[in-house]
Amino acid sequence: MSSYPPLKRIALISRNTKETKIQLSLALDGGPLDLLEHNPEFDGLSQSLIPAQDADTHASQITATQHIWIWTGVGFLDHMLHALAKHAGWSLRLRSKGDLLIDDHHTTEDTFLALGSAFTEALGPRTGIARFGYAYAPLDEALSRAVLDISSRPFFVGEFGFTEPMIGTLNSQMIHHGLASWAQTANVTLHVDVLRGTNDHHRAESAFKALAVACKIAARKVEGKEGEVGSTKGVL
């Protein structure tokens, strides 16, 4: 049972398949998040696979305004999700148990599908929001642009220009596929372009930071527009 007030833009998601088990909570406006509820799917796992939720990990950051704790088993994916949550102003708790003995495909895809579903649920009725958001974000020599429309028309275009097949333990192809999966369940139109950069880590991270800022802008509530639909069709 949720302990959060009804007007908070918060979603709790569990996604279970034969390939992955994912549990997450998302608060679009930040703030404290309770620990994820007990889920028997995660029982019996050693701490080396998924640590306790109060453990300080490579993708955890608890502050007065944000609670972020992420563990997917793929370190670079955790790093990108941490950057996305941090710069979007979200609080995010997420844990995933995937079939990494095969590869990182199902874990990455299903994590982004679950996160997109959480975005849709937390956002609620698509009224009174800015709807559109865009941002540029640099990381040293890399520069990326993200343009987002909370349109209820899922579509993704991404140009990343990675030169290596892997970034850490994440297949670089999965960044495109992961964001396409997120756009599908978030029900948004999203364009992400890495404009320049020589380091694949920097290219990817600048892209996620640009997306984060675009999300924050597009999802913000517009004072005086409460209940209004930002569309000539009258519906989103």
Side-chain angles (χ1 to χ4, degrees), residues 21-61:
K21 315 298 179 188
I22 297 166
Q23 188 180 23
L24 72 89
S25 58
L26 171 67
L28 293 184
D29 303 306
L33 280 178
D34 297 337
L35 297 181
L36 296 169
E37 294 181 355
H38 172 259
N39 185 331
E41 296 290 352
F42 295 93
D43 287 349
L45 296 178
S46 71
Q47 293 299 294
S48 63
L49 291 177
I50 301 182
Q53 291 185 60
D54 56 359
D56 185 16
T57 73
H58 60 275
S60 65
Q61 191 170 18

Side-chain angles (χ1 to χ4, degrees), residues 47-83:
Q47 293 299 294
S48 63
L49 291 177
I50 301 182
Q53 291 185 60
D54 56 359
D56 185 16
T57 73
H58 60 275
S60 65
Q61 191 170 18
I62 307 301
T63 69
T65 59
Q66 287 178 282
H67 285 191
I68 300 171
W69 191 95
I70 297 161
W71 190 277
T72 67
V74 183
F76 192 73
L77 176 58
D78 296 346
H79 183 42
M80 294 301 96
L81 293 172
H82 185 185

Side-chain angles (χ1 to χ4, degrees), residues 136-150:
Y136 291 81
L139 179 55
D140 295 345
E141 88 296 346
L143 177 67
S144 295
R145 176 184 63 220
V147 184
L148 178 68
D149 178 6
I150 302 178

Side-chain angles (χ1 to χ4, degrees), residues 166-188:
M166 303 294 292
I167 310 176
T169 57
L170 179 66
N171 188 313
S172 58
Q173 291 183 347
M174 292 310 301
I175 291 177
H176 187 287
H177 185 61
L179 291 178
S181 300
W182 181 80
Q184 177 184 338
T185 52
N187 218 8
V188 300

